[in-house]
Amino acid sequence: MSTAPTPARSVTKTVTIDRPVADVFAFLDDAANWPAWAIVNVKAIEPTDEPDWWLMTTPRGTARLRIRSNAVLGTLDHDYVEDQASWEVPARVVANGTGTEFMITFFQPPAFTDAFFDDQIALVDTELATLKRILESAA
């Protein structure tokens, strides 16, 4: 009997945004912008005394966010930490002609049931549509 960890269930969401990759990256790299587009999961956010960490108000209570970004690679990976769980969320921006492809992958935390994870992932579509609308209307 193997005790090796098995791969977590994952879902990757993608949205095409008609804005240059540098603009999309800059907007997403600033956590202060997250309440404007991550409208389901981030109600408010403020910097902390810890470098790189932000304190968020979420539907589940308070949580901490750290964005680990690299503009050259287009990475916007972030760490999410709350009292009950923590996880990493890989995210990328990739040039798509004159626009950008934003991709974000979610791994199901062990504490989440399949139904709860599915519900949360469905809400991400609302957030990505909001992100697209905000960035394309600012063009």
Side-chain angles (χ1 to χ4, degrees):
M1 176 182 223
S2 174
T3 58
T6 59
R9 180 175 165 223
S10 67
V11 173
T12 299
K13 296 283 188 165
T14 303
V15 63
T16 303
I17 302 170
D18 191 12
R19 286 290 297 274
V21 71
D23 294 353
V24 175
F25 183 91
F27 183 83
L28 290 169
D29 193 33
D30 184 352
N33 291 327
W34 285 40
W37 71 271
I39 57 174
V40 174
N41 291 302
V42 182
K43 302 303 180 190
I45 196 164
E46 61 188 65
T48 69
D49 292 335
E50 287 183 82
D52 302 324
W53 284 97
W54 293 76
L55 183 64
M56 297 186 303
T57 303
T58 76
R60 295 170 50 105
T62 59
R64 296 183 322 133
L65 173 74
R66 175 176 59 185
I67 303 169
R68 293 177 284 111
S69 60
N70 181 312
V72 173
L73 299 175
T75 59
L76 290 156
D77 297 350
H78 49 283
D79 302 313
Y80 178 88
V81 179
E82 63 176 41
D83 288 341
Q84 293 85 13
S86 65
W87 54 87
E88 297 176 6
V89 180
R92 304 289 182 272
V93 291
V94 177
N96 179 356
T98 59
T100 301
E101 215 56 40
F102 175 55
M103 298 166 279
I104 187 166
T105 299
F106 300 93
F107 296 98
Q108 182 174 339
F112 286 10
T113 66
D114 287 345
F116 181 75
F117 184 68
D118 291 343
D119 290 345
Q120 296 305 301
I121 292 302
L123 296 172
V124 172
D125 293 334
T126 300
E127 293 183 334
L128 294 180
T130 302
L131 176 66
K132 179 180 176 72
R133 181 181 45 76
I134 288 170
L135 286 170
E136 289 182 353
S137 67

